[in-house]
Amino acid sequence: MHTAFFLLLGASVARFLLRHPGEPRTPWVISLGIALALLYVLGPAVGVTQAAHATDRPAPTLRRRLWLGLVVTTWVVLVVLAPSFAWCAVPLFFTALRTLPPRAAVALVAVLTVFVVAAQMKLSTAFDPNLLLAPPAIAALATAVFVHMERQARAQRALIDDLIRTRRELAATERREGTLAERQRLSMEIHDTLAQHLSSQQMLLQAADRTWDSDPATARAHVRTANGIAARGLAEARRLVHDLAPPELDNGAGLAEALRALDAGPGVEVRFHLEGVPAPLPDRTESALLRIAQGALANVREHAHAHTAALTLSFLGDQVVLDIADDGAGFTATTSDPGRGHGLPAMRARVRQLGGTLTIESTPGEGTVLSASIPLEPTG
């Protein structure tokens, strides 16, 4: 449509110069033609193009109204001076429909059509019904096509929104089902191992207590048996804890290697940087920091719409600090912000359990920086 506008404008200028060489109004016509072209080029700068792609048609701002008024006024003056510029109104039909609310746009299209008919009748040497009927027919066709396209676009956007919402609900359902399945598995594991061991120990110790004075040898045997059961229960507990640890830390992989291997999905570049001299970290600390990094990158992928994310692991002697920064959309937050959704509260809980702190710095449009600081026990 932009190309059509400039082609029609150029053809109108050429036609005027060929039909009316050397007329006094020629400089005015050329100047107004250039002004109309420049005003049309300024359309995207005032948000006209973006308005066409909004989910709901926004109310026209004063700047867009002023721009459209200048374009139409320049075109009207140009048509009065040179009626051959009348057909430049066809692209302006779509500009009006794209910029204004439906009723105002239709009214403006009708006004433009009247000027087109008047200009064509002025150019004609005799009455021609086609000149009276063709412009309204073209205007009606352009309006109908645009309205149909808008309805299709709204239906497609609604369908896409439904699909995205359904996908999120399905993902949430799968996460809940996975959580429930894991809880059920853990409950069965604990019931079949730790609970049975504790129950056996209780029975043996009660039996030992009853026979401690009358049959010390039997009581000591009960205690030794209970001790063996406790050892097996401890081994089972360690196995459960090991199964719950992040698999990225298996096979002796350190926290730095696990963080370096993290990914935030397509379209997001993740960079890792290590500062300070790495020190051995407790398993709980490594697991918590890895989970925090994974949760932060999940937020970057799902909410921030960022292009890059930077992970920095710093060993500062008495504490270890993990910083996650992105260049995404950001949000309104302070260091005391209680967090949104479930991700940030879970991160705060992990850090709090280890005696650390979690700080968040974010500004809309300027990205987010999340910092988790966990104190380390002094060595030696």
Side-chain angles (χ1 to χ4, degrees), residues 125-333:
T125 56
F127 178 76
D128 187 350
N130 289 331
L131 299 180
L132 185 63
L133 300 177
I138 294 174
L141 179 63
T143 303
V145 169
F146 183 87
V147 170
H148 179 67
M149 291 172 59
E150 281 284 284
R151 290 176 179 174
Q152 283 190 326
R154 283 196 295 269
Q156 290 178 349
R157 286 193 291 265
L159 178 60
I160 292 173
D161 291 341
D162 289 340
L163 290 175
I164 293 176
R165 182 168 56 253
T166 302
R167 186 175 64 180
R168 289 177 178 173
E169 292 175 354
L170 180 60
T173 301
E174 291 177 349
R175 283 195 297 269
R176 287 194 296 269
E177 291 179 351
T179 301
L180 293 175
E182 182 64 13
R183 287 179 178 177
Q184 184 178 8
R185 185 187 71 82
L186 289 175
S187 66
M188 290 188 299
E189 289 275 354
I190 293 173
H191 176 270
D192 295 339
T193 57
L194 299 181
Q196 296 295 332
H197 293 326
L198 292 173
S199 177
S200 299
Q201 291 176 55
Q202 184 182 30
M203 293 174 61
L204 288 169
L205 292 175
Q206 289 175 349
D209 182 63
R210 289 194 301 268
T211 60
W212 191 265
D213 295 328
S214 59
D215 191 354
T218 302
R220 284 193 294 270
H222 289 329
V223 171
R224 286 193 296 269
T225 304
N227 185 49
I229 294 175
R232 291 195 297 272
L234 180 59
E236 289 289 345
R238 287 173 175 170
R239 183 184 64 82
L240 289 175
V241 171
H242 181 270
D243 290 342
L244 292 175
E248 294 85 352
L249 297 175
D250 287 346
N251 302 321
L255 178 61
E257 288 74 12
L259 292 175
R260 187 177 283 108
L262 291 181
D263 182 33
V268 182
E269 180 184 3
V270 180
R271 303 170 183 170
F272 175 75
H273 183 62
L274 179 64
E275 292 185 355
V277 180
L281 297 176
D283 293 342
R284 290 183 60 196
T285 302
E286 288 190 341
S287 177
L289 291 177
L290 180 60
R291 294 304 190 201
I292 289 172
Q294 291 172 330
L297 291 180
N299 288 339
V300 171
R301 178 176 59 253
E302 297 176 6
H303 306 296
H305 308 294
H307 298 291
T308 59
L311 302 178
T312 304
L313 181 64
S314 304
F315 290 87
L316 305 179
D318 60 342
Q319 62 180 346
V320 59
V321 180
L322 175 64
D323 297 316
I324 303 100
D326 66 75
D327 60 353
F331 59 95
T332 303

Side-chain angles (χ1 to χ4, degrees), residues 72-163:
V72 172
T73 302
T74 304
W75 174 82
V76 168
V77 175
L78 200 54
V79 170
V80 171
L81 293 176
S84 57
F85 285 85
W87 286 111
C88 293
V90 175
L92 295 182
F93 291 164
F94 289 95
T95 302
L97 292 167
R98 189 174 61 223
T99 306
L100 297 177
R103 291 185 179 180
V106 171
L108 181 57
V109 168
V111 172
L112 296 178
T113 304
V114 171
F115 274 92
V116 173
V117 172
Q120 296 304 306
M121 298 296 291
K122 184 177 180 181
L123 290 174
S124 178
T125 56
F127 178 76
D128 187 350
N130 289 331
L131 299 180
L132 185 63
L133 300 177
I138 294 174
L141 179 63
T143 303
V145 169
F146 183 87
V147 170
H148 179 67
M149 291 172 59
E150 281 284 284
R151 290 176 179 174
Q152 283 190 326
R154 283 196 295 269
Q156 290 178 349
R157 286 193 291 265
L159 178 60
I160 292 173
D161 291 341
D162 289 340
L163 290 175

